[in-house]
Structures are given as structure tokens and as C-alpha cells.
């Protein structure tokens, strides 16, 4: 998968062949700069969602909410906006839509006023029984305002008969299935929860003795917070400000324990290279993928060229393992404006060139190895190969630092329909290679990938990771998909200005 | 009450001494230009609310909603916006906030997806048991997204066990008390309802055989629709598109009948002069108020000057009855920009002058009678009198075409706290006159007002109109006010970008 | 001319039949709140131009300029904007474009840096030799950045060999012909000038001993400044801050004296009713027009109805002189949004109804006299008459408080092409009346108009006013029009973002 | 110099330690998609200026101009904007302000209407006699509207007595000194010119037989145009559409020839790595700088870490020459929003971390070599070193791929005042090293740099490049600087909305 257009959301629609994850979350309790720190944490998590961002704070009297389309830095660095988020506790969210369209009413955190006081929730992941639960609630008189399946959790909390907000929260998540890393903010509590097998990541940090939760450790680094530990799969952590100002922290597992299976794509593509996910540095894992790839699919060539920026760590590994020089053969234009989203047709035709150009001087007459992190539909790969050939390459070989993708995701990754995936459109590797126009094409094996991340090959009896997109081995039930109605439409309301 | 700043919402905050009503509603069923006609109807009702406007349409497949802060003409004349409201049925709403702050989430129509299909509602008026019902619903697990008490109706509809949407609607309004003119749009029905004593107005019209409902008849005139009749107090009218395209209309009264008591302030100030409210022309009623005022409080003077624009009809009546010439002694600046809302202090100090100026040539050396429609707090009257004196008036007399206001409203009029009302701040008329700085001050009597509108004095046993602001005679129970908790705060969520 | 859409610029394009004047000017020297006072003065002059507004101030070190499209109140009440206009001297301008399109580069005041220091100028009026001079300058190597003919004056000042800025200013205006009221601001001077026959108005005021100049006296009233006197025709007044902080004021007439002939349309339509123009109150003049009209064209009728707002003073006069009751038979909607400028065709079709509605109760079955201030093309009159007939009038008579318009203006009034004028499209009054659809149509005579304003009929040998639109008697040469090239295009540059 | 914040203009103000160049230019003659191709070319040149962009086209009848603050992709991909730029000839400009503030009136291309027809010019570089000439022109009656010294050229063209536009253009540039690559567009001609010693680059290309000029070859690559040749130093090329549609191309050198001395900083930092400047690939030159640096300043270390993105090519060269592994030790956040420009102080404090983070896994316990392209003030270097130390580096060594900077530029590079330069603030390398906090600090020698670019050391008698920032050897007279008045202020007009 090339992440050619990864850093500027709108271009997705222009020339995109990547997978998208829906969200990143951040929360902090007891710090006087809660909203500012949340904004910084979300900025560090921006790679997990560039479509919209929201923050909810509580100042001891009222909950305050700011939700905006666009980047964190576009809104949440404004003193006026931050001033509207007073208080020493806040949670925030960056999103990329999977379920629910992009309308502002779907931007998280979502808030509800309950009998016991307000509650805000922020969610990374996807429920595999979200639609089913939503239909039940509506039949029972609930009113849904957003398209987001996160709202279902809010309704379940509202309808719980438990006394405390944290008990109600646990009641609610017990009824949900799928992958989630979720934060909740009540008047006195900051609650964190991770799904039973831990598909989506969630870490705990500490800043001046105040608890922090974030999707990735890079959000701790930006504010100088200490990494404490990963939230475990199936774990709920409840932090509460006591009447004397101290903060209590209670952790428990309300559901029967299962083995952890974190999503492999966090290592392949989603997480930031400097993050520690599941105790493993992402950059090192990616470089190992390139090293293993060089061993599995060696070749003679003159230069190793990364497809920027996703392929760079693997390309460095590939170059070191193969001894072939690493060169910047593709130059990236950092200035792609947001509004390229709806260019004229005449400009759209320039596609990949708007963001990349071949560096002819290091390509002309050379045997080039392009190293990419993954390939989804292959559409961008076709254009990249053509661009490299136009620049005079003698041979173009593609090495992909992950296996072929065959199956859709239901846990928060926005995958194209299965029949659009390159691996499903071609019967053989040779056919794929021909379609892309390369001289050779090789993918890293699933065992090679497992080894790069964990040091050991995949154990089919007890795989360490969620890997169904490669293997078809879904780690949970798929209630909505396998139910009687596989309706995709979430709401009858088309737009909502 | 001077309506000096009536036509530009933001100025309200600058130098305002008026009452505000919250809403106007409009709906049409079966017409191919439903959204455009709704926009025009709302434009004609703009005087009933300038803060925000919304339209919901249904095109046979989906409900479409556009809700915006600002004037109808600012948004709903845009082809792009109207194109997002397809379908042959629509309801719309202009609002001035009474309960619920100005945030977009409170802008009506409100929409909910029910098990039986979507429903949108638009409401003019206020419930006297809205808070009480809201608390009950939240205790029962409902989630409130808006601050609007209209949302309560939506929850009651969602929770009704009746089969049809119109039965559910009736179930809901039966539980609500207060003043309301309400419209609902479902997939096939347009429903109109007026509260049991008919406090807020609602008329039915007809355009090319298609039913229309609107708060005032002027909304029918602008689109060339015929006036059919007033919706009666306590009446519900259900219009439904049948499978053959014809429209059935059914009217009924689900609650025990009571005598009608329409709000007197519709005649004094709110309704547009060219509207027919309760069968009576508003302009004629206001002119009659001036005629009666001239009889009740005659004086010798040189010129009759209206306080524009609210006082003009009464001033014409006063001039004709008194024989004193009518002159434009106050000139209005029509170009007050919207953004005067937050002027610098140096500009704010110019207050009333930003919108009005004395026309010295017709005032200098004259005995001036200023005719105004009503006085609320008197703050603007003080400035107007000073301005007239500065222009060289020999004497300044004020004649107010309605009685003194003593009591707050709970049916959709935004009144200041009782102790802010001029009538409650001064023990005597002489004290009020001195405060305002006039040479004399007289108010129309309640009987004079009744006679101007209906031809007969007030019957204390069976008053024809809702008139508690003058008399203290509230026409319904005040459940929220008299309940155990008189909490005003509707939501813990302070803002919601 | 009906001013139906006068108060909201954009509607001009919708359904407009008015004349437009290009500008209003305001300047003040030596007052610490110079920019704020200028903003207020421009606000009071907003009726002279709603398209754009600009202010230039000087703070002792640098000139500061803010120029914006839109109303004064939209921008210049913002503390941030005003803070960017420091200093104790400023001039400002509101404009309606005659020559020069609406682009920001044409918004005044215009500024130039000269060898002797910066100078800003603001101009109301139009030069009859502007194009001719512009061509000469360009041939001589001048670069024109705006389309405005005011820029020509700036070039002439820049090229003058006189030592002082005021001498250079005089050198420049001596070369220009036409109608102008002009202000200039240099580092130490505020200069005012009026054309040799005084077509456009300009008054001098005083606030706390500081000199003020403004197009109309209403701009003095709003800030509580004293009216000092009219600037005389052909006069230049130079105010200068001396080194000791005192202000010197010098007045002189650099050109041979001619009799004053102020533009009659200032009285008929442009000036605000409360202004004193040439020593005469505008409201009183307009009421007199109605009185004279009632004498010249009497009739039997039931109600006198003003076409709001321009026709109201004349209608009051007409009613008083004729004894026919004055009634508000046309109700105006004050809430026409700015963005009605580009409505959908379906909304555009509602034309005049968007802003006015007939008040049926005072019209139905009546013989109605509509009083308007003037008629230009007659297009709106047709719609107004139809609206009144639709409301059930038995007869509709039109009385126009000024003569027929036959000739275009070249002094700052934006007139349609001559062949579009109603008076030129019909050979007889009867034909006009039939076109408009009225039962009778009468215009005030030129002598009746002169009498209403000055008390005496027109002296053809020495007319007191500029009146060519009625009479064809142009008061100056028309150099551009009668020159060898009557090119209208001012610039080859089409747009300039 | 770290280019940490290079790709998002606003951040410059946050934590910036780079040099900025003012402009890039692009022009095309005779192609039906002239404006679209110009937009694409400017997009490829965006690294040369991100503050504003403008395009002027000519469609056979009129010149059309669009000038906007912001990125090319923000505006010029909009079909509406492009539709306002019709015609088959256009020139465009991206700018970073050196002289002239950021106001829109300074955005190029600048346009003037001359007697012989309109002309637009776009300029990259800076005149060393711009102020002197400007003062002369103003003394002679010229009016300057912009602060840009490019406007001086426009005035000289306007005042030239030559008959043809190209002769006038040559008259004008003959009077100017300094560094420039300039394009001009008249009704029939596209003119390109480069200063006598060729400080700023300018290339000629060909698309379907139509001539193109651009600052760098990467602007040809994006549209698939052929590279034809560099415009030579001192050369003027005039392309003209003939009456039969063919295009004539005439090249000449109007001034006495001098040896070419292209700006070295184009190789060090400004030009895009894939561009060919003066016949040399920029990436290769930079990689050579790293190779030479490894030879000049060898050390023992564990990892070579580039300071992204400017240091990456040199780091690759350094790693290959030294045998020390190349690793991504600094991770860049691509999502820095534009509005970080005015962050709250609390966010500003996070400075460099908003855009970069240390990748602890490859740094902890390691001896790190940071390779950067240049150091200006050193302020960012201090923060980067601290960040690397905080991530656990055992040693931090800095290797800079260019010499120390001592002298300001006057040819289009925006340098800080001389006393702010790191090299001038410290007497010794050891002192600099200590200030930055590194364990060692080494700069590439001037000979090492010359060798990296040209293969040979610097010849002090005839240096191949402009290199005064390193050596003090200015290649031209500095008229403004050495003149009687060294005034920096260009205009008395502070702002111009």
C-alpha cells in the first residue's frame, strides 16, 4: 500500500490506494491544561484520522464541547477555541469515517445528559453488532441523532439501571462486540476500555501524576508524558477525582479473558513509526519486514527506492540486508493543498504527479527495486511504475513488505469491497505483476511478517495478531454481517446542516 | 415597546427593549416546489424569528434537512441549498430562542428516526411542563441532544406504542401543556396541531389543491395561496398523500374543548400588519388602538410622531382621531450591519443613534406626541425622548398603544425578569414618566385594547384573549414553574461546535 | 422611482428600478477617535452607497488603510479593524460604483506615496473628462491600477510640480471637470473641495473644535457634531495641524466663480430626509412635493398609500393637502437577506413580493392613490400596481412627486441607458399609464418641484439646480461623451483577485 | 539549515531557522490549457514560495488576473478560478516575501495598462538598486501601489519611449541591477530574462511545440514538457504569436556578457532534489555534499540520522561514505495545520515537537550523527539536539553539509540580520558546538561544497557560483545598501485591506 496521499485527506478521492483507520483517542484527568494537552495529543495522533476532531472538557460545572471538520491544527491551536474548553479533564478524538458519514453530528466525542449527569465518549474501532443493537434501541423508542455506531453505547449507558456511571459504562460495552479502544468522561471520572482481544491499541501514560490515555505512545511523547503501560485486552480502567483532589485508579476485566490479538496493520501501516505498540517499536518492525523481504525475495538491482513515506523503513531494511544502495528515487511534493479534493478534470488527469515525481538522476538506466508497505487495489502502483519507467529505469521490481490482502475488515479499517482488492482480481502473482507493469513483484509471507513483528512465525492454533485481511481468520463473531438483515443504511436523514 | 432594533437580530444585544417570540412555522404537502415555497413562506414569517431557520423535506426515499443560523434569505435562496431539499413535501421553521440556546443543534425542525419511519417536527410556542417531562424522560434512559423542549415531543412520539405516526403524535401532544402551533412531517403525512386554547396562531391555506399550514396568513399571500381557515384551538389536522396521489385531510379534536384565547400580543406587536389573525386584520386593530388611545388620553400638541416601525399604525390612528398632523419625526437607518452585534465600546456608546435619528425640521419648537406600540423596560424610550428633546422639541408626550406589562410569559414570548419591567420598577405613572423624561405618559387601557381588537371590552369571566402579561390571568397551569424544582438549566453541555 | 430595494444592495439586481449615486465621504482632523467617528459618519451616509466602504487614517508615522466590500456596520465596528486604523485624522468613503467595477482595487479612499509624503483621496461624483485625462496620463507613462476615475486625480497630484500637497491638490482638480465633493488626507492636512457649480453636496462640521467634512449633515448628527456651513461651490478648504497642535483652516476659491446648481435629485431621492442640503430640510421639501402634487393633479379617492419608503414624505403631504386618509397599504419586509442577490429562478419569480406585500384590509374595494418619489424605467411600478389590484383595489392612481426622467446623468448618478427610461419608451402619458396598468398617472411639474424645494418656479435663464435628467440642460461640458472616442472600457484587466 | 517547517508557511513564525527565497515563475505561450498548465507548474515550484500565488492570462481580448494568499492547490485547482483565466497564454508566480509585505497588492504577477496595451510581469530575485530607482520614479510623479520592487520595472516599461513592448522591457531591465529571473506577458509576447550573471535559475521547455519558461526543471516534468535549455545569464528570450498562429522565438543579450555565477544555495537548499539546475542534478549534488562531509569530518558513530527533509540526501551520502547505518531517527508529523501560525502560548511552547519527534528505538544508547543541510541561526538545532538527547542518545554529533553562513543576501534570499547568524555570534566552532549542545559540530568546507556541485574546488579568481553568504564575495554592486540612504521602508501605507 502506497501512502502517497496519506497526509492530506482530500487527496484520498483523487488517486488513492490505501486503507484508512477511523480514529484516535486521547484523554487526561486532573491537569489544569487539559484541553491544550488533549489538542497536542490529538495532533500527534492525526495520522489515525484527518477528517474531523473533537474535544469535550468538564470544568466542575458544565461540559464543554468543540467539534470541527478538518485537522487538529486548523482549529484547536486557536486561543479562542481552547478558551471554550475550560476544566482540568478532557477527552478528544480524531476520526476517519468508517460507519457514519462525515457530517458534524457524527464527530466525536458524543455527549449525552443522563439522570446521573453528563457523559462523553470517544471511540476508535468498530462494532460488529452495532447495526443490530441500533435497530433494537430504535424499536424500543430511542432516538438516534447521529449515524455513528458509537451512539449505541451512549443509549445503552442511558438505559442501564446501574447506579454509577462506570457500572453503566461496563453494562453498555458488555453488550457490544468488535474492536474498540474507548474513553469516557463523566463529571468525576475518566474511563478507558479495550475490547476483549485488544484489536485496537490503547496506552496509559502519566504527566505530573495525572493519568492519560491515548491510542499510541507518540501522543505521550509530544507532551513529555511517561509511558506507563498498555491497557490490556478486555480491561477497563476507571480514574476518579476524589473529593480531596487525589485521583484513584481502578482496573478490572469485566468479561471473561481471551488471548490478545492486536491488529497486524497497526505494525504494517497505521501506527506512527516512533510509537511502541504492544511493546514493540513500529519502525523496527517495519525495517525487519524489509530485511525479511530481502531474504525471501532477493534479486540483483542497482538501487532500492522507497515509495514514500510508508515504504521508507522497509526500504532501509531491504537495502541493508541486500547491500543494494538506498536512494531517494521518488520526490514528494509536500505542498498539496487541501482543496485539490475537487480539482478540474484537466488537473485530476495529472494524478500521482501532483504529489510525487521521479528523480531521474538516480533512476535513469538503473535496475530499480521499489519497496512499498502494502498494496490494496494496485491502482497507484500502476502509476508509480509507469512514472519510474518514464524516468528511464532499465528494470522495475516491486517488493511489498506485507502479504496480499484478500478480506475486508470489520473492526475499524475502511477496506474496499473484496472484489476491488488486487489479490482478488488476479489468479496469479504473474498476472498481478503484469497488471502493475513491473518486471517482478513479490510480497512478504505471513510468517515473514509475524517474524518481523514478534520474532516467531504464525501459530495457526493461536495466532498472536488479528490478521483476517491476509488469512480470512476473523477473531470475533460478525453479528451484523451474518444477521438476517445486512442493511448498510444507518439513517433516513440525508443531511443535516 | 419600540421595535427599533427589531429587524436585525444582533442589535438586540446592543440597545434592545422589545419582546421576542420564538418561532414561525410553515408546511406544505404534495407540491413539486415544496422547499422553495417553504423558504418563501418562512421569509414572510421572518419577523417571528431571525436567529435561525430550518427546512426538512422528504422525497419519497429519504428525509433531507438544512438548518442554518441567520435569515432565510441568507441561505434558502441559494440554488445549491434548495437542491439539497428535494421532494414534494416539506416543513420549515424560523426561530427566536426562548428555551434552548442558539446552538445549531437546537434549530428546528428536529428529526428522529423511529421504528415506523422518520418524523420531523417544527414548533412555535412553549410548553409549561417541558422541563418536567424532560426530566422524566431522561430518568427513563432517553438521551437529549438539544436544549429545545420540542425534543421532548419527539421522545414521546418515539416511545408511543400506537401504530400510526399520527396517533403517536396525538399521544405525545396530549401529554404536553402550554401554547403551541406545531407541524409534523412523516413519510406520507403533514400534521398540524394547535394547543387547546389556541394561544399561538396557525392558519391553513391551499395552493393548487395542496394543503399548506403557516403561522400567519402573510405566508400564504407571498406565494399566492388561498386562505382556507384558522386551525381551531385544540384541533389536529392530518393530511396524507394516498397511494393514488390524492391527498386526504382529516381534522379532529383529541382533547376536551375549551374556549379560544389567542395571545393579545400577536395584535399588539408580533403579527405582521397585513396578516389576518383570528379573523381580524392586524393593521386595523393597531390603528384602532391609536384611535382609542387618542380618545382615552387626549392632549394638545403640534405633531404626532410614530416610533418606527411598530408605532406607525397606532400613530396614524391617533393622528386621524386627534386631528394632530402625522409627521416622520424619527428617521430610520436601514443599513445596520449584522456585525454591529459586538461593536467597540466607543461605537456602542452611540446606541440608539445607530438606527434612528431625529428629523429636526419637524420637531424643533414643536409639542411632540410620540406613539409607541408598547413599553417593556423603558430603556430605549429614555433614549428616544432624549433624542427628540435634543432636536429641539418644546414638549414630548408619550402615548403607548397597549397597557402596562407586569407579568412574564410562559407560552413562547421571551420576557425579561418581572423586576426589570418598567411597570414593576415604578409605583406610579408619574414616576415612570419622570424616569423616561417625558412631559406626559399614558397607556391604553385593557378595555381600550380589547375594543380595538374585538369591538368589546374585556369580559373578566370569559376573556377572549390571553392577556396575563397585562392582567396576571394565566390561561393554563404552570407545571414547571410551580413544580418542586424550578431549574432553568436544560443541559449540562455548554457548547457544541 | 420606487426605492423598494434600496436598503439592501444585492436586491438591486433582482427587481430594481431606482437610480444610484456613487458615494458619500467623511473626514475628520485632530480627534483621538478619528477612525471610529469616521465609521459612524459613513454609517449615517450608508444610503449613498452600500457596495463598499473604506477608511484611511494617519497616526503621525504611517498611513493605514482598510477597504472592504459590504456595509460599514459589517466591518468597521469590529475592534480589530478599528485598531488597525490608529491616529487622530482619517477620511472615509462609501461607494456605489458608477465608473469602475466593484473590485476591491477600486474601493476608496485611494492612496499614493508621493515624494512629499503620502496622500489619500475620497471622491463623490463623476468627472466628465475622466477618460480623456486617463488616456493622456497613460500615454505619458502613468500606470493605472484601479478602474476608478478618481485615480486620475492622484496621478495629477503626483505629477504636479507645486511644492505643497494642497497646491498640488488644487493643480489636479483644476484639470478636472464634472461634479465632485472630494476629501484629501496628507500627513498634516485634511482638504475638502467642491466642484465649481456645487453639484454634489458637502458640509463642514465641528466636534470639540475639530473640523469635520461630510456629504450630508446627518453624518454630523450621529456623532453629535455641530453643523458649521456648506462648503461653497468651487471652494477648497485646507485644514492643517500646526506644530503646536492647533488647527489652521484656510478657505479659498481657486477657480472663477459660477452660480451654484446643486443636484435636484438630492432632494427628490438621494439625501436622507433629516439632512439639511443647501440650507433646506429634505423631508420638508419632499412633503412639499406631495402637497404641490395634490394641487397639480387632484382626484377623488379613498386612501393615499405611499410606495415605501421613498414615497412616504410626499404621501403625507399629498394626504394632508387632499384630505384623503393616509394609510399603510403596502407592508415592507425588512428581512431581505443579502444573499437574495442570486436566488433560484423559482424564487426570483416572486420579485417584488419578497420585499413588499399589499395590506388587503386597507385596499380592498378602495380607490387607491399610490404616491412614489420618481419613476425611472417603470418596471417595478407595473408590479406594484398589479399587487394592489390583486388585493382588491377598485381603482389605482399613481402620483409621482417629480417630473419624468428623459436624460442620463454624468455627475455621479448611475442612470440606465436613455432608451430604457419610461419617459422615452412612450410617446404619451396615456401610453405610460396603460403600460403601468394604472387608472391614472400624473407627474409633478418641474416648476412644482422647484417650488417645493426653493419656493419659486424654475428660472430658465438661471436655474437654481442641476436638473438635466428632467430638462436636458447639462450644467457643464461633457468632454468624454463629446470627444473623439467615447470608449467605455477603462481597463484591459478583467479581474483582479 | 533544518527545513523542519519548510512545507507549511505559517509555522515559519513558530520555530523557524531557515532561509527563504522569494519566488518561482512559470509562463507558457500558445497552449489552450495555459492557465491549468501554469497552475501545475507553480504547484511543482511551490517549495520556492508558499505565501501567495498569482496567474495572469490573456485571451485575445482582455487580461485576466487571479492573485491569492496561500498555496497553489488551495485556489488554482478550482474550476471556477481557472475558468476566470481564459486564453492560450499565461504567466504565474509563487512568492515568499523579501521586499514588500504580504499584502495582496504585492502578489505577482503585477499588471499595468500601457498606451501600447497591457503587460504583466513576474519576478524571482531582488534588485540591488530597487529602492534607489523607486525614489527616482516617485520624485518624477510615479504612483506606487505595491511595496514590491517589481513595480519599479513596470514603471520603467510604462515610461520607456520605445515602440515595442519587448524593447520597452529591455529598456527597463537595463536600468535594474541584482539577481532576477523575470517573465513578462503582453498581448502577443511571452518574454523571459535572466540577470547578467545568472544568479537565479530559469529554464526553457517545450510542450507540443509551445514554449515554456520556469524557475526549475521540475515544473516541466510535472506537465510532461521537454527540457530545452537553461536561459543563459544576461539573456532575453522573446516568444511571439504571429498573425498566422505560429510562434517566433528570438534570443539576444542586450547587455555586455559576464561569467555566469548561479546561486550556490539553489544546490544547498532551495531547488527541488529532482531538478536539473545549471545542468547538474540537485539530489546528486546534495548526496555528494554528504559524501565529502564524511571525508572531511569522519567520526565513529552508530547511526546516521537525517534532519528531515532537507538533510536526507546528504545523510544518505554520509552513510554510504562512512559505512555507518542510515536510520530514520526523527519522525515528521505531516499534518501541521496552517493555523498553527498563531497558536496559544501553551502550544507554542511545544515548538519543534509539533512537527518532529525522536524515534527512540533507533536512538537510545546510540552515538548519533545528525546530518543537516545548513545552519542559519542555530535555534532549531538546539531543540533538535535536546530532543535527540531526551530520547537517550549516548552522543550527538552534527554534520552540516554546507559552510558557515556569515553574510546577508541581497538577491532574493530572505536572510536574518547578520548579527543573528550563528557564525557571527560565536568566535569559535567549539563555542557554536557548545551552544547547540552537540558532542561535535563540523561544517563542509567551501571547497568541499564546490567539489560536490561542480567537481572542482573554488577558484578565488573566477568562482563559478554566487557564494557571498559564505565568503562575503558579492557578485554585483549593492547600490541601495551603499547609497546615501539605506532606508528599508518601502511605503508609508501600512496595510491595505
Amino acid at each position: 500500500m502506497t501512502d502517497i496521499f496519506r497526509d492530506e485527506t482530500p487527496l484520498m478521492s483523487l488517486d488513492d490506494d490505501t486503507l484508512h483507520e477511523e480514529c484516535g483517542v486521547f484523554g487526561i484527568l486532573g491537569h489544569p491544561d487539559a484541553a491544550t494537552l488533549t489538542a497536542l495529543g490529538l495532533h500527534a495522533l492525526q495520522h489515525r484520522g484527518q477528517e474531523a476532531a473533537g474535544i469535550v472538557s468538564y470544568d466542575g460545572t458544565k461540559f464543554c464541547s468543540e467539534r470541527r471538520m478538518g485537522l487538529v491544527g486548523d482549529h484547536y491551536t486557536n486561543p479562542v477555541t481552547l478558551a471554550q474548553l475550560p476544566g482540568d479533564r478532557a477527552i478528544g478524538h480524531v476520526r476517519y469515517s468508517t460507519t457514519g458519514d462525515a457530517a458534524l453530528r457524527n464527530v466525536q466525542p458524543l455527549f449525552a445528559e443522563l439522570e446521573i449527569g453528563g457523559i462523553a465518549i470517544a471511540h476508535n474501532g468498530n462494532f460488529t453488532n452495532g447495526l443490530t443493537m441500533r435497530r433494537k434501541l430504535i424499536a424500543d423508542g430511542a432516538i438516534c441523532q447521529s449515524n455513528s455506531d458509537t451512539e449505541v453505547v451512549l443509549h445503552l449507558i442511558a438505559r442501564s439501571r446501574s447506579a454509577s456511571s462506570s457500572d453503566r459504562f461496563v453494562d453498555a460495552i458488555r453488550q457490544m462486540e468488535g474492536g474498540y479502544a474507548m474513553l469516557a468522561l463523566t463529571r468525576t471520572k475518566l474511563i478507558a476500555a479495550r475490547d476483549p482481544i485488544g484489536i485496537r491499541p490503547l496506552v496509559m501514560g502519566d504527566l505530573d501524576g495525572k493519568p492519560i490515555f491515548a491510542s499510541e505512545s507518540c501522543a505521550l511523547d509530544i507532551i513529555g508524558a511517561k509511558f506507563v503501560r498498555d491497557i490490556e485486552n478486555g480491561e477497563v480502567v476507571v480514574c476518579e477525582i476524589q473529593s480531596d483532589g487525589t485521583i484513584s485508579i481502578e482496573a478490572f476485566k469485566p468479561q471473561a479473558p481471551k488471548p490478545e490479538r492486536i491488529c497486524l496493520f497497526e505494525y504494517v501501516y497505521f501506527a506512527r513509526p516512533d510509537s511502541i505498540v504492544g511493546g514493540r517499536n513500529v519502525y523496527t518492525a517495519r525495517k525487519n519486514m524489509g530485511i525479511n523481504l530481502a531474504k525471501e525475495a532477493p534479486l540483483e538491482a542497482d538501487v532500492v527506492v522507497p515509495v514514500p513515506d510508508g515504504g521508507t523503513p522497509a526500504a532501509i531494511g531491504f537495502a541493508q540486508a541486500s547491500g543494494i544502495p538506498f536512494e531517494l528515487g521518488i520526490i514528494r511534493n509536500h505542498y498539496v493543498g487541501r482543496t485539490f479534493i475537487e480539482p478540474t478534470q484537466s488537473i485530476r488527469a495529472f494524478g500521482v504527479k501532483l504529489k510525487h515525481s521521479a528523480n531521474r538522476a538516480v533512476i535513469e538506466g538503473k535496475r530499480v527495486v521499489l519497496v512499498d508497505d502494502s498494496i490494496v487495489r494496485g491502482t497507484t502502483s500502476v502509476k508509480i511504475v509507469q512514472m519510474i519507467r518514464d524516468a528511464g529505469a532499465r528494470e522495475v521490481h516491486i517488493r511489498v513488505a506485507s502479504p496480499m490482502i484478500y478480506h475486508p475488515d470489520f473492526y475499524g479499517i475502511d477496506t474496499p469491497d473484496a472484489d476491488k482488492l488486487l489479490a482478488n482480481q488476479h489468479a496469479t502473482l504473474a498476472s498481478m505483476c503484469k497488471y502493475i507493469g513491473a518486471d517482478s513483484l513479490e510480497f512478504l509471507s505471513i510468517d515473514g511478517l509475524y517474524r518481523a513483528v514478534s520474532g516467531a512465525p504464525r501459530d495457526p492454533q493461536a495466532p498472536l495478531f488479528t490478521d483476517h485481511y491476509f488469512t480470512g481468520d476473523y477473531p470475533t463473531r460478525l453479528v451484523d454481517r451474518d444477521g438476517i438483515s445486512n442493511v448498510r443504511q444507518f439513517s433516513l436523514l440525508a443531511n443535516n446542516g
Side-chain angles (χ1 to χ4, degrees), chain A residues 24-28 38 42 53-56 90-94 108-109 122-123 183:
Chain A
V25 298
F26 185 95
I28 185 165
T38 302
L42 293 179
I55 298 176
V56 168
I91 62 173
H93 190 266
V94 289
Q108 299 191 21
H123 168 219
L183 300 181

Side-chain angles (χ1 to χ4, degrees), chain A residues 120-134:
Chain A
I121 58 176
H123 168 219
N124 171 28
N126 199 61
F127 299 116
T128 49
N129 66 337
L131 263 171
T132 306
M133 293 301 293
R134 183 181 165 98

Side-chain angles (χ1 to χ4, degrees), chain A residues 4-5 7-11 14 309 331-341 347 352-357:
Chain A
I4 287 186
F5 303 118
D7 68 342
E8 291 285 354
T9 302
L11 264 184
L14 180 61
D309 285 353
I331 302 299
R332 177 175 174 168
N333 184 340
H334 289 295
Y335 307 98
V336 177
R338 306 270 171 74
T339 48
F340 267 99
I341 187 170
I347 281 183
V352 75
K353 286 187 152 183
L354 293 176
K355 196 120 192 214
H356 286 81
S357 55

Side-chain angles (χ1 to χ4, degrees), chain A residues 51 95-103 106 126 146-149 488 490:
Chain A
E51 192 177 80
R95 79 173 260 140
Y96 206 93
S97 63
T98 47
T99 54
D101 58 48
N106 290 322
N126 199 61
S146 81
N147 285 4
S148 163
D149 68 352
R488 285 189 167 267
F490 253 68

Side-chain angles (χ1 to χ4, degrees), chain A residues 180 193-202 229-236 252-262 464:
Chain A
Y180 54 85
R194 206 162 156 232
D195 69 74
I197 60 169
I199 297 173
R200 301 267 71 92
L202 189 61
R229 64 175 178 90
D230 286 289
I231 303 306
E232 292 180 26
N233 53 310
E235 190 180 24
V236 174
F252 54 97
K253 294 200 174 181
Q255 304 185 62
K258 297 182 186 175
E260 184 183 53
R261 292 185 68 181
I262 198 164
L464 282 179

